[in-house]
């Protein structure tokens, strides 16, 4: 069975500090996708990144960076120079195919609540 | 309107009421999803519709009844709910095709449901 573990339930850092959110996954599939979503207080899940299991290159997008390591089944997310607007719950998710139509079934972690202290 | 919209944003209902949640996607996608988000629990997939046909019912109680009249609209009809059904209900859409993996799911803002 697929599983996503976000061991950090809550993290608080002072503004401008760097912070890393951990994500560890389990799957028997050889082909899969990993995701990060951000959920601000408004409730909407905002898509941040999608990563193919065959692409282990790290990615950087502005202050955000992601470290994908297949050897440790981890897909960690780092925010550099954090800002108050980064305060949200962050979810890591894993997908597999659930039907002949190719629907993705997302397995979510329980989320990490990040609070940036001004 | 852009992206995925959901109405109402907040709903309070009694256990004997009947209400409906509405989701509309403006992304040209052909698959839509209902998720339930309860406190302290991972998001739970409830239903999947692909090309207007239901392809997944994740053991959801019959007091939740989905309807997908076309690829842009998705409803969740609610009747005789229980207090434990109080949660944030999220709708998502994606572009699906037969065979391999497909596009990312994009989410709406959710409906915060409280059952008294």
């Amino acid at each position: 069975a697929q599983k996503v573990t976000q061991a950090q339930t809550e993290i608080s850092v002072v503004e401008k500090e760097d912070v890393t959110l951990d994500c560890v996954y389990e799957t028997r599939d050889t082909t899969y996708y990993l995701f990060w979503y951000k959920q601000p207080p408004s409730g909407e899940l905002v898509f941040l990144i999608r990563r193919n299991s065959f692409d282990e290159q790290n990615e950087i997008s502005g202050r955000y960076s992601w470290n994908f390591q297949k050897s440790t089944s981890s897909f960690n997310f780092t925010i550099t120079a954090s800002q108050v607007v980064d305060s949200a719950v962050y979810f890591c998710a894993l997908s597999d195919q659930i039907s002949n139509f190719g629907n993705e079934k997302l397995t979510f972690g329980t989320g990490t609540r990040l609070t940036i202290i001004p | 309107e852009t992206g995925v919209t959901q109405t109402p944003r907040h709903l309070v209902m009694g256990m004997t009421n009947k209400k409906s949640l509405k989701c509309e996607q403006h992304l040209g996608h052909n698959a839509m999803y209902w998720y339930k988000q309860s406190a302290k629990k991972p998001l739970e997939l409830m239903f999947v519709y692909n090309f207007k046909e239901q392809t997944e019912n994740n053991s959801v109680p019959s007091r939740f009844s989905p309807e997908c009249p076309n690829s842009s609209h998705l409803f969740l009809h609610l009747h005789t709910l229980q207090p434990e059904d109080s949660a944030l209900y999220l709708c998502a859409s994606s572009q699906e095709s037969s065979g391999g993996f497909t596009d990312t799911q994009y989410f709406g803002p959710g409906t915060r449901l409280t059952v008294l």
Side-chain angles (χ1 to χ4, degrees), chain B residues 11-104:
Chain B
L11 178 63
V12 179
M13 59 186 289
M15 289 190 284
T16 58
N17 291 159
K18 288 185 180 181
K19 297 286 185 183
S20 295
L21 310 185
K22 178 184 176 182
C23 175
E24 184 173 359
Q25 60 94 2
H26 310 270
L27 299 170
H29 291 162
N30 56 16
M32 297 187 77
Y33 310 74
W34 279 117
Y35 286 86
K36 176 183 179 182
Q37 185 178 25
S38 305
K40 310 290 185 186
K41 293 176 69 176
L43 274 81
E44 303 169 60
L45 178 65
M46 300 174 71
F47 300 103
V48 180
Y49 275 84
N50 191 301
F51 300 100
K52 300 186 297 178
E53 293 188 11
Q54 189 178 130
T55 58
E56 178 85 358
N57 177 334
N58 208 22
S59 303
V60 180
S62 59
R63 57 186 183 270
F64 294 91
S65 174
E67 179 190 359
C68 189
N70 54 62
S71 58
S72 297
H73 294 85
L74 184 65
F75 295 89
L76 187 62
H77 303 300
L78 317 170
H79 62 99
T80 59
L81 294 191
Q82 305 298 312
E84 59 265 29
D85 297 322
S86 298
L88 180 67
Y89 289 85
L90 291 159
C91 174
S93 72
S94 67
Q95 184 63 28
E96 307 292 338
S97 62
S98 61
F101 289 87
T102 53
D103 207 356
T104 299

Side-chain angles (χ1 to χ4, degrees), chain A residues 24-35:
Chain A
V24 174
Y25 62 92
E26 296 175 28
T27 179
R28 293 180 181 174
D29 295 337
T30 55
T31 302
Y32 51 90
Y33 283 89
L34 293 163
F35 301 79

